[in-house]
Amino acid sequence: MADVQDFTALQGTEPVHHAVSSSDPLKNEADLDYEMRHNALAAIDNAKFGWFHVKACMVVGVGFFTDSYDIFAINLCSLIMGYVYYADATGDAANTTPTKIDMWVKGATQLGCIIGQFGFGYLADRLGRKRIYGVELIIIIVCTLGGSFAGMTARGLSVYWVLFIWRFILGIGIGGDYPVSAIITSEFATTKNRGAMIAAVFAMQGFGIVAAAIVAIVVLACFKGAVDGDQLMLDYVWRIIMGLGVVPGLVALYFRLTIPETPRYTLDVEKNTQRAAADVHKTLGHKVADESVERVCVADKPTWTEFYHHFKHWRNLRVLVGTTVTWFALDVAFYGINLNSSIILQAIGFAGKGSPYKVLLKTAAGNIILNLLGTMPGYWVTVFTIDKLGRRTIQFIGFTVLLVLFCILGFGYHKILDKSVAGFVVLFTLAQFFQNFGPNTTTFIIPAEAFPTRFRSTCHGISAACGKVGAVVAQLGFFQLKDRGGKNAFIPQLIQIFALFMLVGLVFTWFVPETKGKSLEELSEGENARE
């Protein structure tokens, strides 16, 4: 087959003027472009880890902090809203958001994520990373504020459905953050530390989850007297908890809007070697060329035709199949296993009856403990080991251990709970640890490295969207099955199903390449060479 570059004739973009060095008149423009490109990429790949890399991780990571805060905060807010909008209900329905309403309010964000991941993934390849970076954060900020002011409409649309609309659009912004943030981090990172940088950005989700619970505790404490006197005062509490999610986003917005275009996109898509060299010099302090002679270069935007011709070859398609199926399989279990969180909270003494203030306070504190036990350690063990062990190795370890743990929990569910609740807690915590020191992190990292620059963001968006389809299956599908035959009666069978999905993820991990220690160009050229 013809090389990917053969399809650039399909483009019809306007030329862009820039300059190249004329220090050696014997060199033609192609030689100079090649030299500048080589020097620019070498400067990025071999740079010492410095302040620019730390700043990039912070700017990108704050977005993931905000994402996870917003996603986790709705769990607490929905619980609080039950005490406000169903305070007059009777029996078991009192002070509780109905199951189906709760399910759709929480699932709205995941549905929006699917659209955002695919849409922003494509746009970042078509328009450029810089041109759309920050747009997703603006959506998140606006919708977080909108959701916190949700109320009954004039025509009778309930507060829950108004919140559903805001959360759905919020999900589009959160979904857009996945591919764009991952790709920007990947394309600015050094080869040696690329895995750790992307993993550190993703690990900010753990801090966001804990922060949401801490904010809930603080706000509840501030309203303790008011809530004890009138539980309807909780209406202020959930709105404040949700609304405070905009603070980190506002802090990061300016830096996202002013971040430079990644040199790799400038080189491989815009074909602007002079600007790429200037950006490398500005961000890393490496001067890679002396620009002096004006010339014309034509931007070469990717098309779906080119995408098709690249991925019609199985050797290329298998990587995309691997990243999509493994992410889907992981998210089914990742979101489904949390159906057991109420059992865990009860086991460690952080659930039960009492005043609204005490119940909500215990729930928030219990979730902090759960995340500190398994989730946070898993994220950061990955950060410190991924560039040594490798992405595929950690993914293999994670899926294998999760397969074993889910088989034990699923087939021995009642026996374990009857004989040792502590043992159940330990197994659940281990599952959380190996989800994050495993496929939850690696399925995010590998798509940001394994594809050519021209399709990298699109492929990451497709992979992430498939993952969120798995989340929707768990939250909107399996959630309704858990009470089949009685309250929580079907959970053992669901965990057995999760074990099957871990087996699927383990098998399809063979489809993805090991990206450790390889430059993005080595990985891309390896794909092109196979054509």
Side-chain angles (χ1 to χ4, degrees), residues 307-381:
F307 184 91
Y308 165 76
H309 281 291
H310 182 77
F311 286 103
K312 73 179 182 180
H313 297 275
W314 171 242
R315 289 178 180 268
N316 296 331
L317 180 62
R318 65 174 290 175
V319 179
L320 185 58
V321 171
T323 58
T324 54
V325 174
T326 53
W327 205 332
F328 172 83
L330 178 277
D331 270 13
V332 169
F334 182 79
Y335 287 90
I337 196 64
N338 288 325
L339 297 173
N340 292 280
S341 59
S342 60
I343 297 171
I344 303 301
L345 290 174
Q346 187 172 2
I348 62 178
F350 283 87
K353 304 290 184 180
S355 68
Y357 174 80
K358 288 184 177 179
V359 171
L360 295 170
L361 193 70
K362 279 189 172 183
T363 301
N367 277 286
I368 292 175
I369 294 172
L370 286 182
N371 281 281
L372 292 178
L373 285 175
T375 302
M376 292 282 283
Y379 277 129
W380 289 98
V381 170

Side-chain angles (χ1 to χ4, degrees), residues 462-522:
I462 292 172
S463 302
C466 286
K468 279 297 178 280
V469 170
V472 170
V473 169
Q475 288 194 323
L476 303 185
F478 291 156
F479 187 81
Q480 299 185 70
L481 292 176
K482 75 182 182 71
D483 295 327
R484 184 179 179 185
K487 186 173 178 60
N488 294 330
F490 202 68
I491 284 182
Q493 289 81 1
L494 287 178
I495 298 177
Q496 294 168 23
I497 294 173
F498 298 155
L500 181 61
F501 277 101
M502 295 303 95
L503 179 60
V504 171
L506 182 62
V507 171
F508 277 85
T509 297
W510 289 102
F511 284 35
V512 301
E514 178 53 73
T515 57
K516 178 188 73 170
K518 297 178 181 178
S519 72
L520 298 180
E521 283 62 47
E522 287 180 277

Side-chain angles (χ1 to χ4, degrees), residues 247-309:
V247 174
L250 288 171
V251 172
L253 183 59
Y254 169 78
F255 297 100
R256 285 201 171 192
L257 292 173
T258 57
I259 199 169
E261 182 59 86
T262 68
R264 285 184 161 91
Y265 185 86
T266 306
L267 288 168
D268 294 342
V269 179
E270 295 182 345
K271 304 297 183 183
N272 193 329
T273 52
Q274 180 268 336
R275 198 179 79 188
D279 287 343
V280 170
H281 185 204
K282 180 180 178 181
T283 56
L284 300 176
H286 292 275
K287 190 170 184 179
V288 298
D290 176 25
E291 309 102 21
S292 59
V293 177
E294 195 74 15
R295 59 159 294 208
V296 175
C297 117
V298 180
D300 179 20
K301 299 296 179 72
T303 66
W304 286 113
T305 303
E306 184 183 355
F307 184 91
Y308 165 76
H309 281 291

